[in-house]
Amino acid sequence: MRTRTILLITFLAGALAGPALVAQDQKDAAKPNEGRFGDPNSIGRGIQGDLYGVVKSVKQGEIVLDKTKFGVDQTIKLEPKTKYVRNGKSSSWAKLEVGDPIYVDIKTDKKTKVMIAKKVISGVVATP
């Protein structure tokens, strides 16, 4: 009698778990080097290595960013050849406003360790 009860419980457990196992087989397997939500390199490829921050102040020749990955305010020098893009169109430093979230493509001077902006992107960022 006890053997029949154990066999019945085992049979019922297998019958209930069977559809769940089949459902799991129908899902696509995760591809190697992809995160939980897909390939992280496919989004924002054009700004992937840029420094993100929120404009704290704007002056002729420099901007100060808040909320950067460094955790402290960062001063970025602006050069005459720095390019500005706002909403996918060419712009100027005068159109930067305090509170704007921006991405800055920077280069660092090896001697002085000053960060210099090569390109400043603000507004809606178009991804290629």
Side-chain angles (χ1 to χ4, degrees):
M1 185 67 154
R2 184 176 175 159
T3 307
R4 286 185 185 176
T5 306
I6 293 173
L7 287 174
L8 181 63
I9 291 172
T10 306
F11 174 77
L12 290 175
L16 294 174
L21 295 174
V22 172
Q24 287 180 355
D25 290 340
Q26 293 174 354
K27 293 181 183 177
D28 291 336
K31 296 177 185 168
N33 300 325
E34 283 194 11
R36 180 175 175 192
F37 300 108
D39 184 9
N41 295 325
S42 65
I43 299 172
R45 195 173 283 259
I47 58 172
Q48 200 167 15
D50 294 356
L51 175 65
Y52 171 80
V54 176
V55 177
K56 187 170 185 178
S57 70
V58 181
K59 298 180 200 172
Q60 177 82 29
E62 74 176 25
I63 55 176
V64 178
L65 297 181
D66 188 20
K67 302 179 183 174
T68 64
K69 66 180 179 181
F70 301 108
V72 295
D73 296 349
Q74 291 294 313
T75 302
I76 312 290
K77 298 292 181 187
L78 304 174
E79 294 182 331
K81 59 183 176 180
T82 300
K83 295 181 180 170
Y84 302 90
V85 177
R86 184 171 189 87
N87 296 327
K89 297 177 184 169
S90 184
S91 185
S92 68
W93 74 269
K95 293 187 180 179
L96 291 174
E97 298 175 1
V98 173
D100 279 349
I102 64 171
Y103 290 90
V104 184
D105 183 10
I106 60 171
K107 64 180 177 182
T108 304
D109 188 302
K110 291 180 182 178
K111 292 180 183 177
T112 61
K113 305 295 182 197
V114 172
M115 288 189 277
I116 303 166
K118 296 191 295 185
K119 186 176 188 181
V120 178
I121 303 171
S122 63
V124 178
V125 179
T127 57

